[in-house]
Amino acid sequence: MPSQHNSRSLLLRCRGNPQRASAASQRRGKMEEKNVEADGESGAEDALVGNVNKLTVSPPGYSGAPRKGHLVFDACFESGNLGRVDYINDFEFDLFIRPDTCNPRFRVWFNFTVENVRETQRVIFNIVNFSKTKSLYRDGMSPVVKSTSRPKWQRLPPKNVYYYRCPDHRRNYVMSFAFCFDREDDVYQFAYCYPYTYSRLQHYLASLERKHLPYLRREQLGLSVGKLAARKIP
C-alpha cells in the first residue's frame, strides 16, 4: 500500500475547512429533525436499513456519468456493514455503520469496498456513529485494508487513525482515518479488523468432518436470526 505521508496535515486542514463546518451544521439540523420522528434514544442514525449497494458518491449538484474519483461504496457482501455515506468535500466522507441485529445501540463493526478511485487520490473517512466509549483505536490499533492486486490484509499506519468524541454527531465517538489510493483499477476493502465470515467457518468445520476423527462430532444447536445454523463440536 502507498505511503501515507502528510495525511495528518490533510486531516487537520479538512477539520478546519469552513465548508465542512457549514456542512456539519446543515447535517445537525437535518438529524435533529429526524430525531424528533425517530423512536428511542438512538435516533435516526440507527434506523439505517440495508447496506449501501454500489453507491456512487458525487459532489452535490453534479449530474452525468461518474468521473474517476467519484467513489463507489459497496457493503452488500457477507460480513459487510456500511449503511450510509455523506459527501463532505472532494477528500472527506462521513460514513454511518448499521447497528447489530439484536442490539440497535451497539455499533462497532464495519466492512466495505471502495472503487472508481483516482491514482494518488487522498481521502479521509470518518466513521461517525461508533457506540463504544473505549476503543483499541486509542491504543494503537488501526483498521485493515486490502485491494484487488494486494489481497493480503494490512493494517493502516496508526498515525493516520484518530478516535475522538465529536459534537457534530450528537457527541458520538468518531474514528477518522486518512488514506491515499495508488492504483486506479483496484477495488479497495476496509474493515474494523480481519473478517472471519460464516462461510469461512463452515468450510473449516467441513474440513474437520472430512477427517473422520473419532473424537469429533458436529451438532446443530439452533438457528440465528438470519436462519444460519449454530453448531458445536464437542
Side-chain angles (χ1 to χ4, degrees), residues 5 10 19 33 143 213 223 234:
H5 63 279
L10 175 64
Q19 292 180 351
E33 292 175 2
L213 301 173
L223 298 177

Side-chain angles (χ1 to χ4, degrees), residues 113-124:
T113 64
V114 180
E115 57 187 295
N116 197 43
V117 306
R118 189 177 63 251
E119 188 174 352
T120 72
Q121 181 177 4
R122 296 180 180 276
V123 295
I124 295 170

Side-chain angles (χ1 to χ4, degrees), residues 47-61:
L48 300 171
V49 178
N51 283 319
V52 296
N53 184 5
K54 297 296 182 181
L55 173 67
T56 301
V57 181
S58 302

Side-chain angles (χ1 to χ4, degrees), residues 3-225:
S3 171
Q4 306 298 316
H5 63 279
N6 294 330
S7 58
R8 183 179 181 89
S9 60
L10 175 64
L11 184 60
L12 294 176
R13 288 201 307 274
C14 179
R15 289 181 185 166
N17 192 313
Q19 292 180 351
R20 170 168 171 75
S22 175
S25 177
Q26 293 175 5
R27 288 199 309 275
R28 284 199 301 272
K30 291 179 181 179
M31 288 169 57
E32 287 170 0
E33 292 175 2
K34 291 180 181 179
N35 289 343
V36 173
E37 300 175 358
D39 293 329
E41 297 178 358
S42 54
E45 292 175 5
D46 304 340
L48 300 171
V49 178
N51 283 319
V52 296
N53 184 5
K54 297 296 182 181
L55 173 67
T56 301
V57 181
S58 302
Y62 177 84
S63 60
R67 298 177 179 174
K68 272 293 183 182
H70 291 178
L71 302 184
V72 177
F73 293 83
D74 186 48
C76 280
F77 52 84
E78 188 176 18
S79 81
N81 186 17
L82 181 62
R84 174 178 141 198
V85 180
D86 285 358
Y87 174 95
I88 304 302
N89 52 48
D90 286 344
F91 51 85
E92 185 173 14
F93 303 83
D94 282 355
L95 312 181
F96 295 78
I97 54 178
R98 298 165 57 235
D100 280 8
T101 301
C102 296
N103 188 348
R105 295 185 180 183
F106 193 76
R107 303 176 304 277
V108 173
W109 177 255
F110 63 86
N111 187 6
F112 60 92
T113 64
V114 180
E115 57 187 295
N116 197 43
V117 306
R118 189 177 63 251
E119 188 174 352
T120 72
Q121 181 177 4
R122 296 180 180 276
V123 295
I124 295 170
F125 292 145
N126 307 307
I127 299 181
V128 301
N129 61 337
F130 271 109
S131 61
K132 292 184 68 176
T133 58
K134 296 181 180 179
S135 173
L136 290 176
Y137 287 137
R138 285 180 164 175
D139 297 318
M141 189 176 101
S142 61
V144 294
V145 61
K146 67 177 182 177
S147 71
T148 310
S149 63
R150 289 153 294 186
K152 185 177 180 180
W153 288 107
Q154 302 178 44
R155 288 204 178 273
L156 297 176
K159 65 180 181 180
N160 296 342
V161 181
Y162 305 84
Y163 194 82
Y164 56 97
R165 201 165 196 173
C166 181
D168 287 351
H169 296 283
R170 295 187 294 125
R171 294 186 61 76
N172 279 328
Y173 283 85
V174 174
M175 190 273 288
S176 298
F177 62 91
F179 189 79
C180 180
F181 299 107
D182 62 342
R183 298 184 184 178
E184 292 192 352
D185 295 330
D186 271 15
V187 176
Y188 293 79
Q189 184 172 352
F190 301 90
Y192 177 85
C193 61
Y194 306 106
Y196 192 87
T197 63
Y198 179 81
S199 294
R200 183 176 175 183
L201 172 62
Q202 295 306 304
H203 286 310
Y204 173 68
L205 295 180
S207 70
L208 293 180
E209 284 187 307
R210 287 193 294 270
K211 295 180 179 180
H212 302 292
L213 301 173
Y215 51 82
L216 183 145
R217 185 177 74 257
R218 189 177 178 187
E219 300 176 354
Q220 179 172 307
L221 294 175
L223 298 177
S224 70
V225 175

